[in-house]
Amino acid sequence: EIDKHLRTADVIILLVSPAFMASDYVFEREISSAVERHERGEARVIPIIVRPADWEWAPFGRLQALPKDAEPITTWPNRDQAWLDVVRGIRKAVKELLRERQEQVNKERYREAVVEAWADKKLSDSEAEQLSTLASELSLSIDTVASIERRVMGYNKEAILDRQERAAR
């Protein structure tokens, strides 16, 4: 059951303590899988340092740990403040993950529109205008738009420049 959730979770929270660090199963299976998904951008791994432990050397040691300054929760003078810091850090990580996923959706939507418009290997004025409007609606940067168009149009400079020129008009 744990393995299934580790393969599908968007956010993976590690409650770090000496017992957690001493678990062979955690290091042989759970941590490696979670960190790999984090590195591929499929999930966010958030280590929460609950009790003092030697964790910095672990595969997740380079990730941003909570609470602030990776200070173990049990060492904070006010543990409620420590947990509040953890909650705020998780909320921030989730917002970043959602923003990144929305950017990916927007890029894919634009890419699909470019593929459709470029199907006949040329762009009409109305297609160029539609692509410009869509790029603007999706808040895509000029660099992102150009990168997507280069990939779809096969680096056909004339087509890309023509499209950009039409969009400028």
Side-chain angles (χ1 to χ4, degrees), residues 14-109:
L14 308 177
L15 298 176
V16 181
S17 68
F20 176 85
M21 296 304 296
S23 170
D24 289 336
Y25 179 78
V26 166
F27 279 94
E28 290 172 10
R29 313 240 329 153
E30 294 177 1
I31 299 302
S32 297
S33 171
V35 171
E36 286 172 14
R37 290 193 64 228
H38 179 93
E39 289 172 350
R40 289 191 305 261
E42 297 171 4
R44 281 289 190 282
V45 174
I46 305 172
I48 298 173
I49 314 305
V50 179
R51 295 179 44 219
D54 182 21
W55 61 272
E56 291 87 351
W57 58 269
F60 61 86
R62 65 186 177 282
L63 302 179
Q64 178 64 50
L66 296 173
K68 181 182 174 189
D69 299 327
E71 181 70 28
I73 291 171
T74 59
T75 66
W76 281 54
N78 182 335
R79 291 184 187 171
D80 290 339
Q81 278 299 127
W83 283 111
L84 179 60
D85 189 76
V86 167
V87 168
R88 288 177 175 157
I90 293 171
R91 182 178 297 118
K92 179 181 175 189
V94 168
K95 283 181 180 178
E96 288 172 2
L97 181 63
L98 291 173
R99 181 187 47 76
E100 288 170 11
R101 290 207 172 148
Q102 186 59 53
E103 286 176 7
Q104 285 305 114
V105 167
N106 290 352
K107 289 176 184 178
E108 180 57 23
R109 185 171 164 204

Side-chain angles (χ1 to χ4, degrees), residues 3-21:
D3 288 339
K4 180 182 112 183
H5 290 293
L6 281 173
R7 287 190 307 272
T8 60
D10 292 327
V11 177
I12 300 167
I13 295 175
L14 308 177
L15 298 176
V16 181
S17 68
F20 176 85
M21 296 304 296

Side-chain angles (χ1 to χ4, degrees), residues 85-149:
D85 189 76
V86 167
V87 168
R88 288 177 175 157
I90 293 171
R91 182 178 297 118
K92 179 181 175 189
V94 168
K95 283 181 180 178
E96 288 172 2
L97 181 63
L98 291 173
R99 181 187 47 76
E100 288 170 11
R101 290 207 172 148
Q102 186 59 53
E103 286 176 7
Q104 285 305 114
V105 167
N106 290 352
K107 289 176 184 178
E108 180 57 23
R109 185 171 164 204
Y110 187 77
R111 189 196 67 75
E112 289 171 358
V114 173
V115 166
E116 184 178 325
W118 187 244
D120 59 358
K121 304 292 186 225
K122 59 184 175 191
L123 291 176
S124 68
D125 286 342
S126 66
E127 288 171 326
E129 188 175 321
Q130 288 171 351
L131 287 175
S132 292
T133 300
L134 180 60
S136 179
E137 289 171 2
L138 297 175
S139 301
L140 297 176
S141 72
I142 293 170
D143 290 340
T144 298
V145 166
S147 175
I148 292 169
E149 290 177 357

Side-chain angles (χ1 to χ4, degrees), residues 148-165:
I148 292 169
E149 290 177 357
R150 278 193 303 273
R151 277 184 265 135
V152 172
M153 296 177 180
Y155 293 88
N156 183 328
K157 284 183 186 179
E158 293 78 24
I160 294 168
L161 291 172
D162 183 50
R163 190 220 103 22
Q164 291 172 346
E165 183 180 309

